[in-house]
Amino acid sequence: MSRAPERDEDDLDAIAPPQPVFHVEQALLGALLLDPHRLGDVTGIAADSFSTAAHAALYGAISTLPPPDPAEHAKNTTWLDHVLATASEQARGLTASYVHTLIQVCPWPRHAPAYARMVEAEHARRRLQTAAEHLLQTIHDVSLPHPVQTVLAEADALGAVVDDIASRFPPRAGALPRTALPPPPVPPDRSEAVEEEQLLLATATAHPADIDSVRWLLPDDLTVPLHAGLWQCLTALARRREAVDPVTVLWEAQQRGLLDDGSAPRDVIRMLAEPAGSLDYWGERALQRSLMATADQAGRRIEAYAGDPANTPFQLVVGARRSLADIAAIRTRWQHATGPVPTRRPRHAPPTRAGPPTTTAAAVAPTTRAARATR
């Protein structure tokens, strides 16, 4: 075999990553170099399925060059020379000695399909990890003009990767990820969220009739436990059609034990007595913040699952789909909050025997919520 001069033929071995997949890739490439006809038994992978540029270049060369005649291949290294020359165009560090090493380290060439399946599984894990990283980067990109839409698009892209992995690996029972989840990140400055949630609660107290229009907002969407509890008080009072004002809300909060954390009743009343703006607007702001936090938590969980090489592809699918379900649930509420408001049909009073039927005027509802922030 002809040899191209190289600076150091041992460079590839020196920088070889210690992960098991590296040795799996070596075994697969060795099998294909020794018995090129086994390429027909290999499915589910491409050059970009390999973890190193050198291995990707070699597989690309093997899969694109015409296979040699088996009898001629057993006598000379002509085909191997062509593979090395072609692969070296993409990975200059390749040497003839490394090609021979690949052939020598392959235990059984007939196991090539099994090796390929392992390479495919590891590639699936890397793809999922990359997609989760993209989602997290998008969430924290403060320059986005439409952050929610962009984040949801990245979540859809992540979901497409999960679906593709699921189609390649059949499900197995009891395959749940056992990866320990990372600790929650350090919370950012919540001063803006706290202020907006206070305005939300005060505005709802001043306009309890509007609470029904923001049924898509849940207590868990608020960042402060006291605020979440007060929102429960407000929705409960509105549902029971009881009087709503700062004092009645405070009393409800006491009945629920919300003041046990040391919150001063006077401070609660003062907070609830300072409304501003539109309840819909503050509700959407809180929901958007909750959506981004939910997507961040889901992305971190999926990233942790994909970063654990002990998880099988189907374990990754199960864990990722559970995490994406959280995003899907809050996406539905976001669509209810920001989508067009259906115009209500006129409700006609039933006719009476004493006189002609009477009707109530049709309720006119806005078709969009675009002007909420200015109300």
Side-chain angles (χ1 to χ4, degrees), residues 195-208 210 234 244-246 267-282 373 375:
E195 181 179 355
E196 291 184 357
E197 289 174 8
Q198 291 174 345
L199 292 171
L200 166 77
L201 296 169
T203 305
T205 303
H207 306 285
D210 295 340
L234 281 161
V244 177
D245 62 36
D267 294 339
V268 174
I269 288 182
R270 184 183 300 112
M271 176 183 67
L272 297 176
E274 299 177 353
S278 161
L279 181 60
D280 285 340
Y281 174 74
W282 298 125
R375 288 200 294 168

Side-chain angles (χ1 to χ4, degrees), residues 2-91:
S2 60
R3 296 165 60 104
E6 299 292 340
R7 292 175 300 175
D8 187 350
E9 293 183 355
D10 295 328
D11 281 350
L12 285 170
D13 291 326
I15 63 174
Q19 290 82 1
V21 69
F22 180 79
H23 304 285
V24 174
E25 292 175 2
Q26 285 188 319
L28 173 60
L29 293 172
L32 299 179
L33 290 169
L34 185 62
D35 293 337
H37 68 279
R38 296 190 183 277
L39 182 63
D41 301 328
V42 173
T43 60
I45 62 172
D48 62 359
S49 302
F50 290 80
S51 63
T52 71
H55 289 176
L58 281 169
Y59 185 80
I62 292 171
S63 57
T64 55
L65 289 175
D69 177 80
E72 290 296 323
H73 186 58
K75 297 178 183 179
N76 57 63
T77 62
T78 302
W79 186 76
L80 295 178
D81 291 340
H82 289 323
V83 169
L84 177 60
T86 302
S88 295
E89 297 176 1
Q90 304 297 326

Side-chain angles (χ1 to χ4, degrees), residues 161-294:
V161 172
V162 174
D163 291 342
D164 183 65
I165 295 174
S167 69
R168 294 169 179 266
F169 293 87
R172 295 179 181 177
L176 297 175
R178 295 182 295 273
T179 305
L181 297 179
V186 178
D189 181 15
R190 297 192 305 174
S191 57
E192 182 181 28
V194 170
E195 181 179 355
E196 291 184 357
E197 289 174 8
Q198 291 174 345
L199 292 171
L200 166 77
L201 296 169
T203 305
T205 303
H207 306 285
D210 295 340
I211 293 177
D212 187 61
S213 67
V214 293
R215 286 180 294 177
W216 34 260
L217 186 67
L218 302 180
D220 288 343
D221 294 325
L222 306 185
T223 61
V224 180
L226 175 62
H227 295 173
L230 290 174
W231 182 249
Q232 286 181 312
C233 295
L234 281 161
T235 55
L237 290 171
R239 184 175 61 252
R240 300 197 302 259
R241 299 184 181 278
E242 297 183 8
V244 177
D245 62 36
V247 174
T248 61
V249 175
L250 177 66
W251 186 255
E252 182 76 12
Q254 176 179 273
Q255 300 300 304
R256 293 171 177 262
L258 297 180
L259 305 182
D260 294 346
D261 64 352
S263 299
R266 180 178 299 178
D267 294 339
V268 174
I269 288 182
R270 184 183 300 112
M271 176 183 67
L272 297 176
E274 299 177 353
S278 161
L279 181 60
D280 285 340
Y281 174 74
W282 298 125
E284 285 183 19
R285 291 283 294 173
L287 184 59
Q288 175 176 334
R289 191 176 294 108
S290 180
L291 187 150
M292 301 298 272
T294 300

